[in-house]
């Protein structure tokens, strides 16, 4: 079949069918519904307007396309450019037509009554609703009403002309082999016609409709109501000059998904759902059409009364569930005609989401009350399944004599039950998508003793609604037992209890073809990232016979709405001023007190109106020093998919490293997100790597780019202790009274971070009398850093001198001291060492003599002089001159200071003074403990020291 472009054809949908007469071939329409959607608004004066796309769905008796007696312009014919069908000469109508196949383009035109050579008095026409007198425009008997122009034929002498063309989307071949399709499928050809029309540029409503004649009226297809009547398939076209209404998808009608015929069981009540969907997900209100909606207003033949429109049928306004009452019609093969209306409010400029359901608002913020409605016109067939009397009587026929062939196999049988997903299914183009359909054959027979003859149970995929030319969906049923993948064969003679419930399931799979929105070859829906929206229907067929007349039961359809989405993901890149780009995984070194800036660029297909650039919440960005610049958007007001407000997008990210960042590597991931909110927010990329995990408060997750991840490397200080700093855990020795000086030097090997050296007093502290001099600064290698800022560039090499002169009371103590070399970045290097104040040694103070020292320690100066042979003048000592006070004796276990003083004839008071680390004279000493022993000298007058000379 030829491709249908939503933009490009302005088809005049004028369909003239056969005159209602005694000829059975004259009644061919079985089903019809109409939908529309506003696709463009152009305010240009004179040439502008509001463009609406229409889709007309019709179903026709199959033999309509095979009734062309030689030389008689008598019905529809295939186009000479038909797809898979044989080429025929349709122009002069001299060759018989072949039956159409799926994909063929068909042209349907008016007929002439063979006996009178006249055309019907009721023309079949299509109006876009701009003519207020359209209600009668098809009445050829009303000379006062302007006729719809052009028409195929105004008078009987005109030859047939082509009125409308469409694409065949479903046509089953004639078959006599199992499994038999239901009669409704084998006798029906489904045709879809697509049209566009430009209305004036103004907010207004128009009653578009498709009227024609005629319905079934004789033979097997006799209607109980509305026989041979016209039809009036309607929709309210509410166009708007609001671009926003196009974006909300509310400048459109709801649409139906159904089958031409639903069969019900004679004597039993029946419920079935009429499926309507709305692309904007507005609440749908259902109602049964009036007599006018059934076409009674066009009726001219008083001999054909309309009858009871719905024979007591009701419909649930919220769900579309129809209740068909039990009927005891003796002519069980009768049909009923039913028209159902579906209504929504709109168009909507915006929504008030605070209400449930959300409220439709216009441009002024006022609540919209205008109603958009559309109709579906179909048939209901009553089938005899062997019940006696009206429900709830449950008697079954014991004798099936007189019933159609096969009725005995369906004594008290019930409809199969089929289930398909009820919510909107979102299918991604270019990827396989699927859902599951399940069915069972109801409760089987109510009388287990009745045997079940041979038959089949199957699920049928009904795809009669408009689908793209490249539709390649498949439905693969799977059954617990049966012949291959087709059906379950019910074996003849098997007791019904063994076959009471037969279950089946199938996977509906479709990988829709992708195309850019501006291409518009395959799809007709001009949305954002929704290419189109379809509905598919499924029926379960309990094929115990060749047709419904012979006991075949078909479940009411289970229909599912499918939105085909073209989901794109944006790209993101990092660009430097020289045009160079950074790759994923790049590492950027940022010293403290310096910064780095990136220009991030995001781009996507034009179906994305608005982009965003963000960082992932995990791992995030440094909490300080990070700064996002404003989004800089590029607009494209003439993009094929509509005005683009922010695509491409650039955004700057700047980072300044502080002392708190030193020594840390920060992984940062940037993403570009788009506004394709219907698309799955987190799709797998290449089936492996997930992307799109960022979203923030109040932000709807959408499609995201592959993350662009980098690392911000902020170097920290490398702190080193250098000579002459004592080694870690080294023990230094000094003596009481001596001036002890320690030089501590620490440096940052990178010659960048400022350091200081401070005592670490939390644990050990410093001994009493210790003095830490002021810090002096220098540079590593003598070269000063190029940058001076807070915490860097001023003192990368620090020196402190620690001075201490231990007192007599500190003799014998071991003091552990710790210092920290630290930067302002809180990096620290600790150095701990110990200082021992050794016994029996003393540094002379300025002006002290050996006699004064001996007096101070209660010993004899001559003894001290003898112990310090290096002294030349006992009366004149150098400052800090080291003096031996006595002998260090290693104690033995059990010794006390008292026992040692007695042993060495030392003065106990003096001994205790030079061993201040002992608590008492009776303290028991440990083996090897050092004890300073002063010699015991008898101190008499003759031993007084000589006078100094």
């Amino acid at each position: 079949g030829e491709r249908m472009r939503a933009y490009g054809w302005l088809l005049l949908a004028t369909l003239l069918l056969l005159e209602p007469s005694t000829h059975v071939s004259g009644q061919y329409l079985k089903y019809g519904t109409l939908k529309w959607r506003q696709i463009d608004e152009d305010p240009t004066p004179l040439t502008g307007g509001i463009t609406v796309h229409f889709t007309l769905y019709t179903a026709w008796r199959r033999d309509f396309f095979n009734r062309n007696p030689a030389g008689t312009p008598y019905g529809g014919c295939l186009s000479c450019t038909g797809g898979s069908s044989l080429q025929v000469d349709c122009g002069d109508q001299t060759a018989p037509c072949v039956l159409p196949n799926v994909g063929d383009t068909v042209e349907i035109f008016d007929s002439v009554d063979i006996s009178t050579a006249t055309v019907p008095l009721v023309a079949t026409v299509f109006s876009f609703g701009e003519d207020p007198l359209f209600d009668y425009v098809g009445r050829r008997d009303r000379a006062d009403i302007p006729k719809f122009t052009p028409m195929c034929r105004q008078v009987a002498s005109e030859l047939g002309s082509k009125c409308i063309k469409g694409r065949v989307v479903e046509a089953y071949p004639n078959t006599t082999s199992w499994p038999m399709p239901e009669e409704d499928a084998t006798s029906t050809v489904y045709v879809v016609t697509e049209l566009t029309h430009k209305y004036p540029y103004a907010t207004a409503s128009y009653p578009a409709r498709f009227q024609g004649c005629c319905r079934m009226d004789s033979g097997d297809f006799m209607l109980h109501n509305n026989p041979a009547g016209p039809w009036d398939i309607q929709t309210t076209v509410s166009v708007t000059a609001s671009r926003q209404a196009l974006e909300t998808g509310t400048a459109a009608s709801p649409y139906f998904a159904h089958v031409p015929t639903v069969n019900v069981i004679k004597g039993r009540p029946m419920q079935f759902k009429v499926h309507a969907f709305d692309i904007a997900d507005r609440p749908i209100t259902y109602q049964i059409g009036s007599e006018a909606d059934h076409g009674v207003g066009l009726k001219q033949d008083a001999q054909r009364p309309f009858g009871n429109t719905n024979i007591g049928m009701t419909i649930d306004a919220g769900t579309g569930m129809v209740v068909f009452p039990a009927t005891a019609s003796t002519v069980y093969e009768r049909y009923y005609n039913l028209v159902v209306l579906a209504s929504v409010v709109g168009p909507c400029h915006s929504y008030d989401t605070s209400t449930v359901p959300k409220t439709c608002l216009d441009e002024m913020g006022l609540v919209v009350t205008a109603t958009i409605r559309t109709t579906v016109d179909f048939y209901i067939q009553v089938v005899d399944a062997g019940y006696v009397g009206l429900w709830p009587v449950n008697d079954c026929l014991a004798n099936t004599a007189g019933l159609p062939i096969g009725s005995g196999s369906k004594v008290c049988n019930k409809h199969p039950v089929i289930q398909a997903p009820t919510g909107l299914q979102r299918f991604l183009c270019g990827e396989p998508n699927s859902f599951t359909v399940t069915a069972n054959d109801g409760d089987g027979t109510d009388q287990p003793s009745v045997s079940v003859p041979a038959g089949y149970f199957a699920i049928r995929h009904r795809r009669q609604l408009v689908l793209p030319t490249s539709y390649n969906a498949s439905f693969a049923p799977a059954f617990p037992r049966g012949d291959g993948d087709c059906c379950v064969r019910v074996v003849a003679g098997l007791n019904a209890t063994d076959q009471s419930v037969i279950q089946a399931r199938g996977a509906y799979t479709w990988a829709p073809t992708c195309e850019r929105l501006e291409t518009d070859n395959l799809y007709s829906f001009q949305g954002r990232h929704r290419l189109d929206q379809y509905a598919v229907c499924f029926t379960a067929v309990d094929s115990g016979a060749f047709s419904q007349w012979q006991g075949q039961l078909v479940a009411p359809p289970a229909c599912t709405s499918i939105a085909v989405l073209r989901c794109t993901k944006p790209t993101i890149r990092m660009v430097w001023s020289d045009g160079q780009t950074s790759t994923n995984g790049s590492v950027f070194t940022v010293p403290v007190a310096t910064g780095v800036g990136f220009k991030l660029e995001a781009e996507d297909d034009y179906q994305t109106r608005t982009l965003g650039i963000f960082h992932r919440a995990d791992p995030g960005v440094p909490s300080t020093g990070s700064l996002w610049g404003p989004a800089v958007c590029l607009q494209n007001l003439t993009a094929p998919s509509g005005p683009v407000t922010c695509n491409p997008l650039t955004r700057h990210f700047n980072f300044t490293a502080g002392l708190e960042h030193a020594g840390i590597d920060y992984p940062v991931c940037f993403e570009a997100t788009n506004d394709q909110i219907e698309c799955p927010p987190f799709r797998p990329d290449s089936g492996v790597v997930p992307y799109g995990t960022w979203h923030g408060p109040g932000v709807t997750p959408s499609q995201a780019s592959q993350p662009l991840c980098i690392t911000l490397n902020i170097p920290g200080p490398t702190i080193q202790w250098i000579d002459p700093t004592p080694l870690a855990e080294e023990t230094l020795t000094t003596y009481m009274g001596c001036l002890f000086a320690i030089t501590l030097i620490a440096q940052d090997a990178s010659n960048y971070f400022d350091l200081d050296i401070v005592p670490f007093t939390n644990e050990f502290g410093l001994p009493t009398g210790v003095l830490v001099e002021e810090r002096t600064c220098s540079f590593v290698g003598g070269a000063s850093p190029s940058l001076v800022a807070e915490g860097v560039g001023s003192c990368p090499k620090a020196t402190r001198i620690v001075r201490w002169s231990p007192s007599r009371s500190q003799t014998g103590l071991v003091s552990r001291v710790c210092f920290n070399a630290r930067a302002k970045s809180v990096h620290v290097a600790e150095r701990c060492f110990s200082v021992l104040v050794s016994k029996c040694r003393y540094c002379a103070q300025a002006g002290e003599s050996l006699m004064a020292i001996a007096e101070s320690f209660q010993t004899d100066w001559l003894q001290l002089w003898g112990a310090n042979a290096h002294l030349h003048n006992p009366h004149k000592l150098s400052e800090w001159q080291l003096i031996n006070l006595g002998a260090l004796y290693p104690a033995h276990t059990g010794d006390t200071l008292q026992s040692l003083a007695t042993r060495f004839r030392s003065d106990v008071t003096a001994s205790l003074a030079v061993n201040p680390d002992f608590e008492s004279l009776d303290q028991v000493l440990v083996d090897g403990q050092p004890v300073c022993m002063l010699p015991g000298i008898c101190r008499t007058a003759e031993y007084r020291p000589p006078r100094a000379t």
Side-chain angles (χ1 to χ4, degrees):
E2 66 183 70
R3 285 185 167 180
M4 312 282 292
R5 292 184 57 88
Y7 291 102
W9 284 7
L10 182 58
L11 297 180
L12 297 178
T14 309
L15 178 58
L16 303 182
L17 297 177
L18 300 177
E19 175 188 9
S21 67
T22 58
H23 299 285
V24 177
S25 59
Q27 294 78 44
Y28 291 109
L29 183 74
K30 298 182 67 176
Y31 170 82
T33 188
L34 177 64
K35 75 172 184 178
W36 66 272
R37 185 178 192 275
Q38 183 174 329
I39 58 175
D40 192 25
E41 50 91 23
D42 180 6
T44 305
L46 300 180
T47 62
I50 296 176
T51 304
V52 172
H53 178 269
F54 291 89
T55 307
L56 174 64
Y57 308 93
T58 52
W60 309 91
R61 283 271 305 281
R62 185 178 178 86
D63 53 8
F64 173 58
F65 296 93
N66 197 27
R67 295 300 298 260
N68 187 19
T72 303
Y74 194 81
C77 188
L78 293 180
S79 169
C80 294
T81 59
S84 60
S85 299
L86 297 176
Q87 302 300 303
V88 295
D89 183 3
C90 300
D92 58 13
Q93 301 299 304
T94 59
C97 295
V98 295
L99 294 177
N101 292 319
V102 173
D104 288 336
T105 298
V106 295
E107 296 174 346
I108 302 171
F109 44 87
D110 198 8
S111 66
V112 176
D113 186 278
I114 299 175
S115 61
T116 63
T118 58
V119 294
L121 292 178
V122 178
T124 301
V125 294
F126 187 99
S127 171
F128 296 112
E130 295 175 282
D131 184 352
L133 299 176
F134 174 77
D135 281 351
Y136 299 97
V137 78
R139 294 279 297 274
R140 290 194 173 103
D141 61 337
R142 292 283 299 271
D144 58 321
I145 301 299
K147 303 299 185 291
F148 182 80
T149 303
M151 303 179 82
C152 287
R153 186 180 296 106
Q154 294 284 354
V155 296
S157 61
E158 291 183 346
L159 296 177
S161 62
K162 300 172 183 177
C163 294
I164 193 169
K165 66 169 60 177
R167 176 161 47 93
V168 176
V169 295
E170 183 176 317
Y172 286 94
N174 288 328
T175 179
T176 57
S177 61
W178 291 99
M180 283 292 295
E182 64 275 24
E183 180 275 333
D184 189 49
T186 57
S187 67
T188 305
V189 173
Y190 298 87
V191 178
V192 171
T193 302
E194 297 183 85
L195 313 93
T196 58
H197 181 71
K198 184 180 288 186
Y199 290 94
Y201 186 76
T203 298
S205 293
Y206 303 93
R209 61 216 310 175
F210 173 56
Q211 294 177 345
C213 192
C214 299
R215 302 181 187 278
M216 305 181 298
D217 71 339
S218 63
D220 290 343
F221 302 101
M222 181 175 293
L223 274 172
H224 178 80
N225 64 333
N226 208 12
W231 63 84
D232 190 6
I233 299 168
Q234 312 165 32
T235 186
T236 306
V237 182
S238 295
V239 296
T240 175
S242 167
R243 165 62 64 173
Q244 190 63 31
L246 272 67
E247 296 299 317
T248 61
T250 58
S253 69
Y255 66 97
F256 284 98
H258 204 55
V259 292
T261 304
V262 174
N263 64 36
V264 299
I265 298 175
K266 174 189 171 185
R268 314 295 293 176
M270 177 71 179
Q271 289 188 359
F272 61 88
K273 180 175 175 58
V274 178
H275 297 271
F277 303 99
D278 182 64
I279 61 174
D281 199 27
R282 291 166 290 186
I284 299 176
T285 301
Y286 298 86
Q287 67 183 95
I288 291 178
S290 64
E291 289 191 355
D293 296 321
H294 284 73
V296 175
L298 299 175
K299 199 167 186 63
Q300 302 173 79
D301 190 345
Q303 300 304 315
R304 299 177 184 272
F306 176 73
N308 183 357
T309 302
N310 55 35
I311 65 165
M313 282 182 284
T314 61
I315 190 169
D316 187 284
T319 65
M321 188 66 69
V322 174
V323 177
F324 188 91
T327 176
S329 172
T330 57
V331 186
Y332 54 80
E333 62 266 32
R334 280 293 183 94
Y335 281 82
Y336 291 82
N337 173 222
L338 181 61
V339 173
V340 173
L341 283 69
S343 303
V344 296
V345 296
C348 307
H349 178 79
S350 60
Y351 288 111
D352 179 0
T353 57
S354 64
T355 62
V356 179
K358 57 189 178 182
T359 304
C360 175
L361 305 176
D362 63 13
E363 295 91 329
M364 304 301 294
L366 301 177
V367 175
V368 175
T369 58
T371 300
I372 301 173
R373 74 173 198 168
T374 194
T375 61
V376 63
D377 193 317
F378 63 98
Y379 294 155
I380 299 172
Q381 178 194 19
V382 180
V383 177
D384 194 331
Y387 291 94
V388 177
L390 290 177
W391 180 87
V393 175
N394 201 32
D395 295 336
C396 299
L397 291 177
N399 183 1
T400 60
L403 290 179
I405 299 173
S407 294
S409 67
K410 295 297 176 181
V411 173
C412 290
N413 197 22
K414 297 181 180 179
H415 274 97
V417 178
I418 188 164
Q419 292 181 324
T422 56
L424 178 66
Q425 304 297 300
R426 291 177 170 86
F427 278 18
L428 306 180
C429 73
E431 297 186 11
N433 309 266
S434 66
F435 58 77
T436 300
V437 179
T438 60
N440 64 68
D441 71 341
D443 299 327
T445 179
D446 291 335
Q447 294 193 357
S449 61
V450 178
S451 63
V452 180
Y456 281 86
F457 173 58
I459 300 177
R460 187 169 307 289
H461 167 208
R462 307 300 302 272
R463 61 176 190 176
Q464 73 275 13
L465 297 183
V466 62
L467 292 163
T469 306
S470 61
Y471 180 73
N472 57 356
S474 63
F475 181 72
F479 298 89
R481 58 189 183 278
D483 297 341
D485 293 330
C486 169
C487 316
V488 171
R489 179 185 291 274
V490 182
V491 181
L494 193 63
N495 190 286
T497 56
D498 298 325
Q499 300 282 341
S500 58
V501 176
I502 302 175
Q503 295 181 339
R505 64 194 307 271
Y508 176 83
T509 303
W510 186 18
T513 302
C514 285
E515 72 172 357
R516 294 177 62 88
L517 294 180
E518 57 265 35
T519 305
D520 189 32
N521 284 327
L522 300 178
Y523 303 97
S524 61
F525 181 83
Q526 297 298 306
R528 293 283 306 283
H529 42 281
R530 188 185 292 196
L531 293 175
D532 216 326
Q533 185 162 324
Y534 308 103
V536 291
C537 296
F538 303 88
T539 54
V541 184
D542 193 352
S543 301
F546 279 88
S547 71
Q548 282 96 325
W549 308 126
Q550 298 173 339
Q552 185 185 77
L553 289 178
V554 181
C559 300
T560 298
S561 182
I562 299 174
V564 177
L565 307 179
R566 181 173 180 264
C567 297
T568 63
K569 62 178 182 178
T571 59
I572 187 170
R573 64 176 186 164
M574 184 180 294
V575 183
W576 297 89
S577 57
D578 59 0
Q580 297 295 315
T581 60
S582 296
T583 59
N584 195 45
S586 297
V587 178
F588 298 91
T589 298
V590 188
V592 168
T594 67
V596 64
F598 311 112
K599 178 184 178 183
L600 297 164
E601 295 181 347
E603 189 172 6
D604 200 359
D605 187 278
Y606 278 135
Q607 73 183 55
T608 293
R609 307 292 172 80
T610 302
L611 287 170
I613 296 177
F614 306 96
H615 62 266
R616 280 192 171 184
D618 182 16
V621 296
S623 58
T624 59
S626 300
L627 179 64
W628 275 108
V632 179
C633 299
L634 181 64
Q635 293 185 342
N636 185 343
L637 301 181
T638 61
S641 60
V644 174
T645 57
C646 198
N647 178 18
L649 165 69
T650 60
R651 198 174 181 192
H652 285 82
F653 175 78
N654 297 288
F655 171 70
T656 301
L659 292 167
E660 67 275 18
H661 305 127
I664 302 176
D665 287 345
Y666 290 95
V668 179
C669 292
F670 301 104
E671 285 181 338
T673 60
N674 62 26
D675 58 358
Q676 299 175 18
I677 58 176
E678 274 199 286
C679 295
F682 316 126
R683 288 174 56 208
D685 183 68
S686 302
V688 179
V689 183
Y691 69 89
T693 60
W694 184 92
H695 64 91
V699 177
T700 302
S702 55
Q703 292 290 84
S705 65
Q706 283 280 15
L708 174 60
C709 295
I710 63 170
T711 299
L712 299 174
N713 167 247
I714 297 87
T718 303
I719 301 176
Q720 301 171 331
W721 290 99
I722 62 174
D723 288 339
T725 303
L727 300 176
E729 305 304 330
E730 182 181 2
T731 299
L732 307 178
T733 301
T734 188
Y735 310 97
M736 70 176 110
C738 296
L739 181 60
F740 182 61
I742 305 172
T743 300
L744 304 176
I745 304 177
Q747 67 178 17
D748 171 26
S750 64
N751 196 36
Y752 193 73
F753 288 87
D754 295 342
L755 300 182
D756 196 2
I757 300 173
V758 295
F760 180 68
T761 59
N762 291 351
E763 183 177 358
F764 303 106
L766 296 177
T768 303
V770 172
L771 175 65
V772 180
E773 295 185 352
E774 290 293 324
R775 176 189 66 169
T776 59
C777 295
S778 58
F779 302 103
V780 179
S784 61
S786 58
L787 175 66
V788 178
E790 174 67 22
V792 297
S794 299
C795 194
K797 185 175 182 180
T799 302
R800 281 194 186 269
I801 296 178
V802 180
R803 300 185 185 276
W804 183 31
S805 180
S807 65
R808 183 178 302 181
S809 63
Q810 294 170 323
T811 300
L813 297 180
V814 178
S815 299
R816 190 172 187 270
V817 295
C818 294
F819 290 85
N820 284 341
R822 66 185 185 190
K824 287 191 175 181
S825 63
V826 305
H827 289 79
V828 173
E830 186 181 70
R831 179 56 57 92
C832 294
F833 52 90
S834 298
V835 179
L836 167 65
V837 183
S838 184
K839 297 179 179 181
C840 287
R841 300 289 187 272
Y842 174 75
C843 286
Q845 307 300 303
E848 253 187 336
S849 65
L850 199 61
M851 286 70 75
I853 294 172
E855 183 70 22
S856 173
F857 288 99
Q858 299 181 21
T859 187
D860 186 74
W861 71 273
L862 289 175
Q863 177 64 32
L864 291 181
W865 197 6
N868 294 276
H870 58 286
L871 299 178
H872 300 291
N873 187 348
H875 304 290
K876 190 175 182 179
L877 302 178
S878 301
E879 187 177 11
W880 318 122
Q881 184 86 50
L882 185 62
I883 305 299
N884 290 323
L885 299 178
L888 276 177
Y889 173 76
H892 299 281
T893 302
D895 286 344
T896 65
L897 191 59
Q898 178 68 60
S899 65
L900 293 177
T902 301
R903 184 187 309 170
F904 295 105
R905 295 186 296 173
S906 297
D907 182 80
V908 292
T909 303
S911 297
L912 191 58
V914 295
N915 292 281
D917 55 326
F918 295 168
E919 295 179 359
S920 67
L921 294 173
D922 299 326
Q923 178 181 336
V924 178
L925 307 180
V926 297
D927 193 48
Q929 187 171 355
V931 182
C932 180
M933 299 305 302
L934 300 181
I937 306 284
C938 181
R939 302 178 65 194
T940 58
E942 62 268 22
Y943 290 106
R944 292 185 183 278
R947 180 174 298 179
T949 59

